Amino acid sequence: MPIDYTANLHLLTPEFVLTALAFLVFTVDLFLPESRKEWLAGLSVVSLVAVMVIAILMRPAGSVELYGGLIVVDSFGLFFKIFFLAIGVGIIALSVEYGRDRLDHRGEFYGLLLFSILGMNLMAMSRELLTAYIALELLSFSLYVMVAYGLREARSNEAGIKYIIIGALSSAIMLYGLSNIYAALGTTFFAGIAEELASPGTVSPVLWVGVALLVVGLGFKLSAVPFHMWAPDAYEGAPLPVTAYLAIGSKAAAFALTLRLFAEAIVPAVNRWDEWQLVIAVLAAVTMLLGNLVALAQRNLKRLMAYSSIGHVGYALAGIAVLGSDFALAAKSVVFYLVVYAVTNLVVFAGVTAYYNRTGQDNIADLAGLADRQPFVAAAIAIGLFSLAGLPIFAGFTAKFYLFAAVADGGFLWLAGVAIFASLISLYYYLQVLRQMYIERPPNPDHAEEEHEPADGHEDAHGHGGHDEPPVPPMPRPSLLLTATMGVGLLVVTWLGVYPAPLLGLIDAASAAIVPLG
Amino acid sequence: MANFDQVSLLLLVLVPLAGAALAMFLPKDRPRDAWQFAIFVAAISFVLSVVVFLRYDYGAGGVQMVRSYDWIGQPVNITLHFGLNGIGAPLVLLNGIVLLGAVLISQTITRRTRDFFVLLLALGAGVFGVFVVRDLFFLFFFYELAVLPMYLLIGVWGSSTDFGTFLRTKEYGAMKLMLMLVAGSILIWVGILALYVASSQAGDPTFNIDKLAALQQDGAVSRLTQMWVFPFFALGFGVLAGLWPFHTWSPDGHVAAPTGVSMLHAGVLMKLGAFGIIQVGMILTPQGAEVWMPVLIGLGTVNVIYGAISALSQNDLKYVIGYSSVSHMGYVLMGIATLHPVGLAGAVLQMFSHGIMTALMFAMVGAIYERAHIRDSMILNGLIKRMGTTTFFFAIAGLASLGLPGLSGFIAEFMVFTGAFRTYLPLAVLGVIGAAITAVYILRLLARSFFGEGDPQWDHLTDASPVEKGVGAAFVLILIAVGVWPAPLLRVINTGVESALAVF
């Protein structure tokens, strides 16, 4: 029977609308004078919210396949769509001021952002390897351009070149993996792979090679160790909002794809090949340890966040490793972790962007005395970092506890132990940032030589009396938009830390859609 | 009042937490307002803690004022489950007292005052939380909440110490404390997950302490698991309790901290560690506890002797008290490790008694340092002439610490020794020797710095302020009251000890 490729096509309305709006942004950009490019940010936000509303209103009951099973519309995809669109809104909030002051051609920036979100949405919805690959490339190509967007900065160009070369390499590896899988099985559908893996009889070595190369390709996209080396350079060189986007958006999308791929293609074959759990577990352990250890040596905030995000990828991978044990719990904890990680990172990056916009500095030591200069920015960064380190009452604590409980419950108590140990390492470098902001004195341009206090031991216990504190160099207030972003982010971080039940309910429904049968 | 019991434990946690949240919105540049607000919050907490302690029915015993709120349902089943037992009740009271005292003493904080009290109240809320929840997730949640503010409290408001050849900076003290305590909580976390996995394998995944205890009694937690999980709890919580050889954060941290924070930290925070060993280690992994307790009592004895000898060789007043805390926490650990009703009750009483007396000592040393800007006992001399009241309060605390009959320390140590003599005779003898060394360093300190000739350079000092005097007098009265009439505390403690030892 021929497949009806137009059946249920209306369910893709959100994607069609998003595509149309992205083109609209490009078109309007041509007619807007340089001084009014900020309108495009507003237009993009309106687009994202509109698509969100459409996606929610047009959600089908249960899951519906389109294009003969290439794409599926289900609650898992819907959850991630809303998540990605919300990330897009956050990134635009970070970009407005930065783009105005530091980027050329910023109109197209927003168009690219919309396209990349389209790619992420499709990644969460595809059920077939090539479709997933194309969605992934749509995301990657938008990101290649966005990373190199700081045309006036050499390091942004350098980052762009590195990113595109490594990205192309990883895409090639992944494609080769896909072709091997197709050669072995004659299908690229997730369900077909699962069926083949689970069927009795020997499995051709070509398939193993294919699956291994696929995992390597995904490892590059996730920046899992040992495929991580592009991340620090790309993070450091990219414009700050793009760095945030790399850390939050592309990671979340790659995990959405990984989750669905593992759920529908690999987990059903668990009885045949349960060593894959161990492989992923080792990958996770190496990733979290190396990411966090190398982060200790960083002096630049963006590089620090790059290695920190590698560490966090390691934690989430630990959750992927136990998908085969208790699928529902593991999937739920990974998704919850991703959401918390995204919100928390958004807060930290909003704070760092607010600081960078006013000072043009992004080294850790530059933050000295920030708590005296802009207390709210310092508090936002501090709370964000506490949450990333996994300390209560913030979301990071709840998410880590939940995730590690799932990992331990899945039979990998040692991996949970490694993850908790890695968290301790991360606390050290997060505290170094905190120390600069809260304990070190702000740099004083007039008395550069008196930076170090005399070590007389009689320094007053409570910092009053004694010697005069040098005057604090003023720092202009951050923009209202960034302040609001930080404020909302902090509320969400605290709320998810104190009462995560509503979100977990939503995630429950979302992950139920991809629970493997049998 | 029955309605009050339903929410009293929740309020105990919420009041300081809400106080911390509200304090963030106080004006930035009015330190006195922030202080007064913190007093207001701490006073309510204090009243609540007294009421909760009095409402605990020692005749009935067991876990009381139980209230459970759903938090995360299936499949991990975490509930915000409140409940107080006979061991938690006196410690709640202790935290109420010391928190109020610490806030009052912190009048002298004038820099970023608002932030200071936000963190201090959050810390207080965390401590209350650990004592009153009966769910491992939340126990760990509040445990971390109590540790978390320490880094900034010490790093921002603390002081560095010059040793002549090298400098112990407050940043060093803060980072060392934070990393060692969080390293300890790694072990606790892994232990909690191991118990959760055991419960999950038994078909009833839970973090609830009472359910886990019941599962353990049904044999759902294998002896092997208990054998390796107990050391995780004992060492993890032990770090915070100052267990040798993981105590080194404690003197450095206490000395670097501002007075109010030292009071809370040595006074109640270290007790969280000992409380955790009882509440989690002993109750949930008794078979492991039985095997490992001889090791713990050995380490506890080393604590007593080693802490006392270290205190003997220190000149800095705060370091003397810091090491004395290490030594005194050794009695607590010894008492716990006896697994004997008298010894364990003595340990809990020692927690209360040491909490009050060490907070008092830190408060008085803080008052001296505030005025003399020095803490070196070789240079300070004849303080009694100018600071008579301060000297008097410090002396009482010192006498309680060396175990003078009539003060609280005597009864607690006597009970610990009684328990130890019946179980581990040689170690008990060593413990008594430790008490003798305590007498040496305390009396030497008193003779050298407080009494004696007096040095004209200290003639400008003024005596403690009315607030400091008030706090000192109240703490001294408590030390005496517990010393002569410990029954109100002991009868509550005994019910807790009875149920804790019922599994052995």
Side-chain angles (χ1 to χ4, degrees):
Chain A
M1 200 178 75
I3 299 166
D4 179 7
Y5 285 104
T6 53
N8 295 319
L9 212 53
H10 65 281
L11 289 177
L12 273 188
T13 312
E15 282 64 42
F16 292 135
V17 172
L18 188 56
T19 316
L21 287 169
F23 280 118
L24 182 69
V25 168
F26 278 123
T27 316
V28 174
D29 179 39
L30 296 175
F31 302 103
L32 273 184
E34 196 59 25
S35 58
R36 295 205 178 137
K37 298 284 193 202
E38 273 60 52
W39 290 10
L40 292 170
L43 178 62
S44 307
V45 170
V46 172
S47 315
L48 293 174
V49 175
V51 174
M52 235 185 254
V53 173
I54 296 173
I56 293 173
L57 290 180
M58 297 196 61
R59 68 181 190 279
S63 48
V64 180
E65 290 194 333
L66 291 123
Y67 298 121
L70 296 183
I71 280 182
V72 63
V73 181
D74 59 4
S75 54
F76 180 79
L78 178 71
F79 180 87
F80 270 98
K81 259 190 255 183
I82 306 293
F83 180 33
F84 297 148
L85 294 166
I87 290 177
V89 174
I91 297 297
I92 291 173
L94 259 62
S95 309
V96 173
E97 194 188 15
Y98 190 97
R100 192 189 64 212
D101 298 344
R102 295 167 198 275
L103 295 183
D104 302 319
H105 310 294
R106 57 188 189 277
E108 289 147 28
F109 182 87
Y110 298 113
L112 284 169
L113 186 71
L114 294 190
F115 270 127
S116 65
I117 291 172
L118 177 66
M120 304 198 321
N121 286 356
L122 291 172
M123 279 167 79
M125 294 160 71
S126 47
R127 237 179 198 178
E128 192 265 346
L129 288 173
L130 277 176
T131 315
Y133 174 77
I134 292 168
L136 179 61
E137 287 301 284
L138 180 56
L139 167 66
S140 298
F141 274 81
S142 313
L143 281 174
Y144 296 150
V145 184
M146 289 168 80
V147 166
Y149 226 88
L151 289 177
R152 298 177 227 164
E153 279 188 71
R155 62 176 186 172
S156 179
N157 293 309
E158 181 194 332
I161 292 173
K162 278 185 183 160
Y163 188 40
I164 198 167
I165 291 176
I166 304 274
L169 176 71
S170 68
S171 294
I173 292 175
M174 196 188 278
L175 262 186
Y176 185 49
L178 301 193
S179 61
N180 272 321
I181 293 176
Y182 185 70
L185 303 181
T187 179
T188 49
F189 286 92
F190 291 176
I193 299 171
E195 206 174 296
E196 204 65 29
L197 283 175
S199 68
T202 52
V203 174
S204 107
V206 179
L207 180 59
W208 291 140
V209 174
V211 172
L213 289 177
L214 179 62
V215 170
V216 170
L218 280 174
F220 271 109
K221 300 294 174 194
L222 289 170
S223 71
V225 174
F227 317 113
H228 66 287
M229 54 284 183
W230 59 272
D233 291 330
Y235 275 57
E236 191 189 359
L240 251 171
V242 180
T243 309
Y245 193 45
L246 280 177
I248 302 166
S250 75
K251 292 276 184 320
F255 267 111
L257 173 60
T258 310
L259 270 173
R260 195 188 281 278
L261 175 71
F262 273 75
E264 296 181 352
I266 296 183
V267 172
V270 65
N271 295 333
R272 162 173 218 119
W273 186 38
D274 52 3
E275 288 86 5
W276 70 265
Q277 286 199 301
L278 193 60
V279 174
I280 304 286
V282 170
L283 203 64
V286 175
T287 303
M288 57 182 84
L289 283 177
L290 197 115
N292 284 318
L293 281 173
V294 180
L296 292 177
Q298 302 308 316
R299 299 278 171 272
N300 179 282
L301 258 177
K302 285 154 99 181
R303 286 187 87 84
L304 180 87
M305 292 312 287
Y307 282 107
S308 138
S309 84
I310 293 173
H312 286 279
V313 165
Y315 306 139
L317 270 180
I320 300 284
V322 294
L323 277 179
S325 309
D326 180 349
F327 183 86
L329 176 59
K332 205 166 137 182
S333 63
V334 171
V335 177
F336 182 50
Y337 195 81
L338 288 176
V339 175
V340 167
Y341 166 79
V343 181
T344 311
N345 256 315
L346 196 68
V347 172
V348 175
F349 274 106
V352 175
T353 309
Y355 182 74
Y356 187 80
N357 283 348
R358 292 284 175 269
T359 59
Q361 298 170 322
D362 59 5
N363 284 324
I364 298 171
D366 296 332
L367 289 177
L370 186 62
D372 281 328
R373 303 165 76 190
Q374 279 300 337
F376 183 67
V377 177
I381 298 179
I383 290 177
L385 294 180
F386 269 143
S387 178
L388 285 179
L391 293 172
I393 50 181
F394 310 114
F397 175 78
T398 313
K400 268 191 183 161
F401 199 99
Y402 200 81
L403 179 63
F404 297 167
V407 172
D409 202 22
F412 283 89
L413 188 59
W414 66 267
L415 186 56
V418 172
I420 295 169
F421 177 69
S423 298
L424 169 70
I425 303 174
S426 73
L427 180 65
Y428 182 80
Y429 60 79
Y430 292 137
L431 282 183
Q432 293 295 347
V433 181
L434 237 73
R435 171 184 169 162
Q436 291 297 335
M437 296 192 302
Y438 281 90
I439 300 176
E440 299 295 326
R441 301 218 180 271
N444 193 337
D446 304 331
H447 306 90
E449 284 146 30
E450 291 175 26
E451 250 180 63
H452 291 284
E453 298 159 23
D456 59 4
H458 305 295
E459 185 201 348
D460 197 283
H462 311 300
H464 65 89
H467 53 97
D468 289 328
E469 285 177 30
V472 177
M475 176 183 147
R477 298 175 70 85
S479 72
L480 196 62
L481 185 59
L482 283 175
T483 311
T485 311
M486 285 184 271
V488 173
L490 287 181
L491 282 181
V492 177
V493 165
T494 316
W495 175 57
L496 291 181
V498 177
Y499 191 59
L503 178 68
L504 280 170
L506 288 178
I507 294 174
D508 223 6
S511 54
I514 57 164
V515 171
L517 300 169
Chain B
M1 276 316 257
N3 286 337
F4 174 75
D5 285 348
Q6 292 275 307
V7 292
S8 56
L9 300 182
L10 178 67
L11 280 178
L12 211 48
V13 179
L14 269 190
V15 166
L17 209 54
L22 287 178
M24 285 184 214
F25 298 101
L26 291 174
K28 189 177 154 191
D29 45 1
R30 287 162 65 185
R32 209 174 161 76
D33 286 3
W35 180 57
Q36 283 167 346
F37 178 76
I39 294 177
F40 174 68
V41 175
I44 298 178
S45 300
F46 168 69
V47 172
L48 277 172
S49 71
V50 173
V51 174
V52 164
F53 178 76
L54 293 177
R55 291 285 301 165
Y56 184 84
D57 181 355
Y58 55 86
V63 181
Q64 297 181 13
M65 303 178 217
V66 177
R67 185 75 199 266
S68 192
Y69 303 88
D70 282 339
W71 197 68
I72 296 183
Q74 292 290 345
V76 290
N77 301 322
I78 298 173
T79 52
L80 180 49
H81 191 86
F82 288 106
L84 189 66
N85 64 10
I87 295 173
L91 296 175
V92 164
L93 181 63
L94 172 69
N95 191 35
I97 296 168
V98 178
L99 182 62
L100 183 58
V103 168
L104 284 167
I105 286 289
S106 299
Q107 185 183 16
T108 49
I109 303 280
T110 51
R111 184 165 153 262
R112 288 198 212 152
T113 313
R114 178 191 64 180
D115 304 351
F116 178 86
F117 285 114
V118 168
L119 293 171
L120 201 70
L121 290 174
L123 190 157
V127 176
F128 274 129
V130 173
F131 291 145
V132 301
V133 292
R134 297 197 67 78
D135 184 281
L136 287 181
F137 172 85
F138 276 101
L139 188 131
F140 190 62
F141 181 100
F142 287 119
Y143 182 85
E144 294 278 285
L145 182 62
V147 173
L148 160 80
M150 290 306 294
Y151 180 75
L152 288 174
L153 282 172
I154 296 176
V156 179
W157 293 275
S159 60
S160 306
T161 311
D162 188 7
F163 279 95
T165 49
F166 64 98
L167 184 72
R168 274 273 180 268
T169 62
K170 56 188 181 173
E171 291 86 356
Y172 170 87
M175 187 58 95
K176 185 173 184 180
L177 174 142
M178 195 72 185
L179 287 183
M180 289 191 70
L181 293 188
V182 176
S185 50
I186 289 181
L187 300 178
I188 301 171
W189 198 347
V190 174
I192 290 175
L193 290 182
L195 289 183
Y196 169 73
V197 171
S199 76
S200 172
Q201 280 164 356
D204 181 18
T206 183
F207 286 102
N208 185 302
I209 291 179
D210 300 312
K211 276 192 194 164
L212 284 170
L215 280 172
Q216 187 280 132
Q217 278 175 324
D218 297 343
V221 186
S222 74
R223 186 178 159 81
L224 185 70
T225 308
Q226 299 197 27
M227 290 271 288
W228 74 261
V229 168
F230 179 78
F232 274 59
F233 287 137
L235 292 182
F237 286 114
V239 174
L240 186 52
L243 176 69
W244 185 88
F246 307 110
H247 66 283
T248 58
W249 60 270
S250 144
D252 287 333
H254 289 155
V255 173
T259 305
V261 177
S262 299
M263 287 171 69
L264 262 179
H265 202 252
V268 288
L269 215 58
M270 289 178 87
K271 277 71 195 173
L272 290 189
F275 178 76
I277 295 180
I278 302 173
Q279 182 88 328
V280 182
M282 271 176 59
I283 294 186
L284 297 185
T285 54
Q287 294 178 26
E290 257 177 333
V291 174
W292 287 101
M293 279 310 185
V295 178
L296 190 65
I297 198 167
L299 292 177
T301 315
V302 176
N303 256 71
V304 171
I305 305 277
Y306 181 91
I309 293 176
S310 304
L312 204 55
S313 64
Q314 295 293 333
N315 291 330
D316 187 304
L317 285 176
K318 264 187 142 178
Y319 267 104
V320 174
I321 309 174
Y323 277 109
S324 138
S325 281
V326 173
S327 170
H328 280 84
M329 286 308 288
Y331 296 125
V332 175
L333 295 168
M334 283 177 79
I336 293 173
T338 58
L339 291 180
H340 185 278
V342 180
L344 185 55
V348 180
L349 189 62
Q350 170 76 348
M351 285 195 232
F352 186 89
S353 147
H354 175 252
I356 300 287
M357 85 193 165
T358 200
L360 177 57
M361 282 166 125
F362 274 120
M364 293 305 121
V365 169
I368 295 168
Y369 183 56
E370 194 66 34
R371 291 161 178 78
H373 298 287
I374 195 167
R375 295 188 302 251
D376 193 330
S377 64
M378 304 298 278
I379 299 175
L380 289 168
N381 199 325
L383 289 174
I384 191 168
K385 279 202 233 158
R386 298 288 164 192
M387 304 186 71
T389 320
T390 313
T391 303
F392 173 70
F393 289 155
F394 188 89
I396 299 281
L399 294 176
S401 145
L402 63 80
L404 188 77
L407 295 168
S408 63
F410 170 74
I411 299 171
E413 286 174 24
F414 183 78
M415 289 174 70
V416 170
F417 292 142
T418 309
F421 268 110
R422 295 203 187 153
T423 45
Y424 301 88
L425 183 63
L427 295 179
V429 174
L430 284 173
V432 175
I433 295 175
I437 306 176
T438 309
V440 175
Y441 67 77
I442 290 287
L443 293 177
R444 199 181 61 174
L445 194 68
L446 284 173
R448 194 192 276 163
S449 303
F450 290 88
F451 301 97
E453 288 302 303
D455 190 326
Q457 68 164 314
W458 304 123
D459 282 351
H460 68 281
L461 299 184
T462 52
D463 206 351
S465 70
V467 172
E468 287 162 343
K469 280 183 185 164
V471 172
F475 280 28
V476 163
L477 282 180
I478 297 169
L479 288 180
I480 297 172
V482 175
V484 291
W485 195 43
L489 276 175
L490 271 178
R491 60 195 179 197
V492 174
I493 292 172
N494 279 331
T495 64
V497 166
E498 220 169 90
S499 53
L501 290 177
V503 286
F504 289 93

